[in-house]
Amino acid sequence: MPVEPVDTCETFTHRPSGPSNLADILERILDKGIVIAGDVKIDLLDIELLTIRLRLFISSVDTARKAGINWWETEPSLSTTANRDALVDENRLLRERIADLERDRIAEHERDTLDRA
């Protein structure tokens, strides 16, 4: 009885309607987002020594923004805009401090001048 050859290309190119490969799964996760939550507790003789609460949100930047998460935009080590804003704030504070010191110096000079007169 002869065995008929199977066209393997046709067999493997048929895809089910759901996600079938890693790229499809990753695209769906980034588009919709996924939350992974877990707690780790270490107890010794009914005394809680350590509790770690872990919450992981995996998504695209757009999905995270829709969820109201944008901490990377204000983190100076991750954002050039945040870094620039931090430098602008530091510069402003330094200018205010210099102005205060100059006012104090002028006021002290005026007091010395009045005391001598």
Side-chain angles (χ1 to χ4, degrees):
M1 176 166 154
V3 178
E4 293 183 25
V6 177
D7 185 1
T8 56
C9 291
E10 184 180 4
T11 304
F12 290 115
T13 56
H14 174 70
R15 291 187 177 167
S17 60
S20 61
N21 62 26
L22 184 59
D24 291 339
I25 293 169
L26 187 58
E27 183 179 349
R28 175 169 272 181
I29 287 173
L30 292 177
D31 183 46
K32 302 294 181 186
I34 186 171
V35 175
I36 300 171
D39 294 337
V40 176
K41 281 186 162 186
I42 298 176
D43 294 340
L44 180 64
L45 301 173
D46 292 331
I47 299 171
E48 187 176 313
L49 299 177
L50 178 68
T51 300
I52 299 173
R53 302 190 78 171
L54 194 59
R55 305 295 180 259
L56 181 62
F57 179 62
I58 301 172
S59 72
S60 67
V61 171
D62 293 335
T63 304
R65 282 189 180 131
K66 289 177 188 174
I69 301 170
N70 62 350
W71 54 265
W72 63 88
E73 292 177 353
T74 58
E75 177 64 34
S77 63
L78 298 174
S79 169
T80 56
T81 303
N83 196 13
R84 186 182 68 236
D85 292 344
L87 288 174
V88 167
D89 289 342
E90 182 181 10
N91 194 1
R92 181 183 47 79
L93 290 172
L94 288 172
R95 288 178 186 273
E96 289 173 1
R97 185 171 177 201
I98 289 171
D100 290 342
L101 289 171
E102 287 177 346
R103 273 193 299 275
D104 291 347
R105 195 176 122 238
I106 290 171
E108 184 178 326
H109 179 70
E110 289 175 352
R111 277 194 304 268
D112 287 348
T113 304
L114 290 175
D115 288 344
R116 288 184 196 153

